[in-house]
Amino acid sequence: GIILIENKKIVNIGATVAIPEDASIIDASNSVVMPGLIDAKAISAVRGDGNEQSSEITPAFRISSALNPQSKELKRILQTGVTTLYIPPGGRNLICGLGVVVKPVGKTAAEMIIKDDAALKIVMGSDSTRGNRIPWRSPPTNFYYRRPTTRMAVSWMLRKSFFDAKQYSASHETEDPAMDVLSAALKGEIPIRVTARRALDIRTAFRI
């Protein structure tokens, strides 16, 4: 079979494809050719922490700001056959922020990005409460003492955030980047990706 590639795109494939005279030929007769894989939850290629520890609700946080085109992980990812990545923010916040879809090649973040603000990440259940210290056990002395600490609080904070976004959309008196993101998610303009590990949390996410 013959695969004809022009400007980094496959333009023809088959057994009798005409090969242009000036084409560079790669003999892959002893290899297997397959479509590129998609990693729908890549966590590499980011410089620094993917979580904003000072707050639990960070919808306007963009993981694309932390992309690291020089990451050695990108070469390894490409060698394993992955040609497209969805990179979300970390999972220690309740509303974590906006993920990005990238190609694992490029000298700059702009060259890598296919779609920024690709989805809003929300974490249900115990993941978003992990590491939060309960105030009655120890007095809060720094911003690492965070809410929520229970599933009840996770649900309440999530409902309140979207309620506030509906109020914001109705009045829209002041500009608020976080509310703009939540409003866009409510309108279906930005997809929502929910991390949930237990049936209880899945049902709660559907109810909300």
Side-chain angles (χ1 to χ4, degrees), residues 75-95:
K75 183 177 181 180
R76 183 188 65 79
I77 288 169
L78 195 58
Q79 288 172 338
T80 60
V82 176
T83 57
T84 306
L85 312 172
Y86 170 73
I87 303 177
R92 292 292 294 274
N93 290 3
L94 173 55
I95 301 180

Side-chain angles (χ1 to χ4, degrees), residues 24-125:
S24 299
I25 297 176
I26 299 173
D27 184 0
S29 55
N30 294 322
S31 302
V32 175
V33 180
M34 61 182 287
L37 301 174
I38 297 174
D39 187 340
K41 191 182 177 184
I43 56 174
S44 55
V46 173
R47 182 181 285 112
D49 193 350
N51 302 283
E52 177 48 60
Q53 300 285 6
S54 64
S55 178
E56 304 84 5
I57 309 293
T58 56
F61 176 89
R62 287 175 169 81
I63 198 64
S64 58
S65 300
L67 280 178
N68 179 18
Q70 284 74 47
S71 172
K72 295 180 180 178
E73 287 293 306
L74 291 173
K75 183 177 181 180
R76 183 188 65 79
I77 288 169
L78 195 58
Q79 288 172 338
T80 60
V82 176
T83 57
T84 306
L85 312 172
Y86 170 73
I87 303 177
R92 292 292 294 274
N93 290 3
L94 173 55
I95 301 180
C96 308
L98 296 161
V100 61
V101 179
V102 303
K103 291 288 186 182
V105 291
K107 294 182 179 179
T108 66
E111 292 177 5
M112 295 171 58
I113 293 175
I114 300 173
K115 182 175 178 57
D116 207 352
D117 299 356
L120 177 65
K121 181 176 179 179
I122 292 173
V123 178
M124 301 292 293

Side-chain angles (χ1 to χ4, degrees), residues 138-182:
S138 171
T141 57
N142 58 52
F143 64 77
Y144 287 105
Y145 289 79
R146 310 191 314 161
R147 305 291 183 130
T149 59
T150 66
R151 279 183 164 82
M152 294 180 291
V154 166
S155 299
W156 182 83
M157 291 177 71
L158 191 56
R159 287 183 185 277
K160 183 180 184 304
S161 296
F162 282 114
F163 176 80
D164 290 345
K166 289 183 73 172
Q167 298 293 96
Y168 171 82
S169 296
S171 61
H172 207 50
E173 296 177 355
T174 58
E175 291 296 326
D176 186 330
M179 289 294 105
D180 287 336
V181 172
L182 291 176

